[in-house]
Amino acid sequence: MRPQRPVALAAIALACSAFAACAAQADALAKNATELRDLLRGPATAATLTPIKTEGWCGPQGCFVDADELRIDRDKGGFARAEGGQRLQVVEHKAPGGDALPDLDWTPTDAYRVMAGGQRWGSCLEFSHAGVGKSGTFQRWISVVLVPFNGAAPGATAHRFVGYWTGCDSLVSGATAGTLTLRVVERSEPKAGKPLRLVAYQCSARGCEGQVDRRTVSGEPGNAQDGTLTIGQP
């Protein structure tokens, strides 16, 4: 029997290797926002967030919300620098050819100062919005707005994303200094075979660029009671 021992060991090693490979390629389940956030962040370093206390007020020109250096126009919509009143351009990121993003509720549910590399990177705000999934257990689609800073002040552009179970705490360090990554599960373009896609947005003071992740995303966010998503392999 001894001469067969190396063969047996080799067979066991091969089986273990195959099992490990299968395990490494297994689909991942995200049953809630925390699990999806941790799955998409992976081993990357999370950005440092400090809550901002927002203040709503009304005056002769309308009603606004102040969030540190930003002023949000609740009546007309839009963002401006709190000092100087310079309005920011809002860039909406979505799949090409997809429907317009739903209208925002212009009072943020949360707002944060974002730090990266020991320096102020910008601000991140979370909003609810009109449309399917606005209330109850189906409120899983969140609008995240990033405002990268140019030096010590907000830049000229705010970037909006609508993601499933996405929040500011999904921000992680990017590939280069001054860049943060936001991975978002969003609606696919109409002609795509799958209704959902995963996009990694690289954002800096120069703007945000998205790269579609090859992993597949499946689930029924609009109908499923538990909202579970499955993230497949490329």
Side-chain angles (χ1 to χ4, degrees):
M1 298 295 294
R2 285 189 177 183
Q4 297 178 0
R5 184 175 178 81
V7 176
L9 290 176
I12 293 173
L14 181 61
C16 290
S17 175
F19 176 80
C22 291
Q25 296 179 5
D27 292 345
L29 292 179
K31 301 176 185 177
N32 53 53
T34 300
E35 291 184 1
L36 182 60
R37 179 203 66 190
D38 293 346
L39 174 63
L40 298 185
R41 286 199 314 195
T45 302
T48 301
L49 305 179
T50 303
I52 295 174
K53 183 178 180 180
T54 60
E55 181 179 359
W57 58 278
C58 295
Q61 296 181 341
C63 293
F64 303 86
V65 176
D66 284 348
D68 272 3
E69 301 88 345
L70 291 175
R71 177 160 293 168
I72 304 163
D73 190 332
R74 291 173 52 194
D75 293 338
K76 300 178 183 178
F79 302 89
R81 292 177 180 171
E83 294 186 6
Q86 179 181 349
R87 286 182 67 87
L88 277 58
Q89 178 187 9
V90 179
V91 176
E92 297 188 337
H93 298 271
K94 63 183 183 66
D99 295 336
L101 299 185
D103 293 336
L104 278 179
D105 294 334
W106 285 97
T107 299
T109 56
D110 290 289
Y112 302 92
R113 302 181 190 95
V114 181
M115 303 290 293
Q119 297 181 342
R120 179 70 181 271
W121 184 90
S123 295
C124 182
L125 304 96
E126 299 174 10
F127 297 83
S128 61
H129 50 253
V132 176
K134 177 174 169 53
S135 61
T137 59
F138 297 105
Q139 178 54 67
R140 303 187 186 114
W141 292 97
I142 305 296
S143 283
V144 173
V145 175
L146 294 179
V147 182
F149 272 33
N150 186 1
T157 306
H159 299 270
R160 182 190 173 196
F161 314 86
V162 175
Y164 188 76
W165 276 335
T166 299
C168 294
D169 58 355
S170 298
L171 282 167
V172 298
S173 56
T176 58
T179 301
L180 294 182
T181 299
L182 181 69
R183 290 183 175 85
V184 177
V185 173
E186 64 181 24
R187 303 284 188 188
S188 295
E189 55 187 301
K191 64 180 180 180
K194 296 282 188 178
L196 303 175
R197 69 178 194 169
L198 175 59
V199 182
Y201 288 99
Q202 307 288 335
C203 296
S204 68
R206 295 183 296 275
C208 294
E209 294 185 2
Q211 182 174 359
V212 178
D213 196 302
R214 292 177 58 197
R215 288 176 288 179
T216 59
V217 183
S218 58
E220 297 182 11
N223 301 313
Q225 289 294 330
D226 61 5
T228 297
L229 292 183
T230 301
I231 310 296
Q233 294 299 315

